[in-house]
Amino acid sequence: MDKVELRKHLLEKRNSLSREEVLSASESIIREIDALIKKNKSIVLLGFMPLGNEIDLRALYKKILAGYYKENFDIDIILGLPRVCGKEMRFFKIDSLDNLEKSKFGIMEPRLNSEEIIAKNAHVMVPLIGLDKDKRRLGFGGGFYDKYFGKHKDNKLYGLAYDFQINIDFEVNEYDIAMDHIFMAKVG
C-alpha cells in the first residue's frame, strides 16, 4: 500500500474511535509522560494540540500550566507547542491554552507574539498516523516535523500512537524521522 492509501486507511481507523476510547488512550499515555516528567528537575516539553482523534494531551498541559509539577515536585517545565509559519514549523512557549488561535489546518496554535523555543534537549511529543518497525514516522505528508527535527537533532522524540498505528509497513525515505521512544495505548 502506498503512503497516500495507507494514510487514508489509518485515518479512517483512527476517526472511527469513540470519544471514550480516545480519552482512555490519552489518559494512559499521559500517565507515561507524567512519569517521564517526574524523572527530571527541569524539562522542556514540546507537545501538540490534537487534530480529530489524535492522542489528546490537553489535560496534561492544564496540570503543567496550573503549576502542579512545580508546586508538588519542584520541577521547572517549559511547555511549547508548534505553529506552522509559511513552509516551516516552529515551537513557541505556552503560558495559557487560552492564547491559541486556529490555523488554516484547523489546529490550535500559539500566537506569533509568543516566545519562540529553539528545540535543544527537549522532550518532544510527536503526533503521527503510523510508525514502521524501525519507529520511522508516517505523518500527514507535509514534512513539517521531518524538516524541523532533521535540523534540530539534539532532542528526544516520542511518538504517541494507538496500538494499530505501530509496525506498519510503508516505504520510507531519507526524510522520515525515527522516534526515540513510543508511548502506545491499546484501544478496542
Side-chain angles (χ1 to χ4, degrees), residues 25-40 43 45-46 48 55 57 60 123-128 131 135 156-166 179-186:
S26 298
E27 288 169 7
S28 171
I29 287 176
I30 286 172
R31 283 192 295 276
E32 292 188 68
I33 300 169
D34 177 82
L36 169 72
I37 290 171
K38 289 176 181 173
K39 292 178 185 173
N40 294 273
I43 186 171
L45 185 75
L46 302 179
F48 61 90
I55 299 295
L57 301 179
L60 174 68
H123 295 267
V124 187
M125 304 302 126
V126 182
L128 52 86
L131 289 166
K135 298 188 236 174
K156 286 257 190 237
L157 305 180
Y158 300 82
L160 308 189
Y162 297 105
D163 55 354
F164 61 83
Q165 294 177 300
I166 62 171
M179 300 295 103
D180 296 299
H181 188 75
I182 301 168
F183 289 143
M184 188 268 300
K186 291 185 185 287

Side-chain angles (χ1 to χ4, degrees), residues 15-114:
N15 290 339
S16 73
L17 296 174
S18 70
R19 190 71 193 140
E20 292 76 25
E21 287 173 311
V22 172
L23 290 175
S24 176
S26 298
E27 288 169 7
S28 171
I29 287 176
I30 286 172
R31 283 192 295 276
E32 292 188 68
I33 300 169
D34 177 82
L36 169 72
I37 290 171
K38 289 176 181 173
K39 292 178 185 173
N40 294 273
K41 278 293 172 198
S42 176
I43 186 171
V44 175
L45 185 75
L46 302 179
F48 61 90
M49 290 300 283
L51 181 63
N53 279 349
E54 284 180 333
I55 299 295
D56 187 345
L57 301 179
R58 287 178 289 188
L60 174 68
Y61 302 157
K62 289 175 184 172
K63 275 174 78 171
I64 292 169
L65 295 171
Y68 171 80
Y69 293 98
K70 181 64 176 170
E71 291 170 16
N72 293 290
F73 304 99
D74 197 27
I75 300 171
D76 293 315
I77 302 177
I78 295 173
L79 176 63
L81 294 175
R83 177 183 178 96
V84 173
C85 301
K87 294 187 178 195
E88 66 178 15
M89 182 178 73
R90 295 162 48 194
F91 284 89
F92 294 88
K93 184 178 177 187
I94 297 302
D95 295 316
S96 167
L97 293 180
D98 296 331
N99 196 24
L100 303 175
E101 60 189 10
K102 192 175 274 195
S103 74
K104 67 180 179 181
F105 299 108
I107 301 169
M108 298 303 289
E109 297 180 328
R111 296 181 191 278
L112 270 176
N113 63 353
S114 304

Side-chain angles (χ1 to χ4, degrees), residues 109-138:
E109 297 180 328
R111 296 181 191 278
L112 270 176
N113 63 353
S114 304
E115 178 185 343
E116 185 172 3
I117 298 171
I118 305 300
K120 185 169 176 75
N121 299 317
H123 295 267
V124 187
M125 304 302 126
V126 182
L128 52 86
I129 295 174
L131 289 166
D132 75 357
K133 63 179 176 32
D134 296 319
K135 298 188 236 174
R136 290 197 178 269
R137 175 182 176 268
L138 176 66

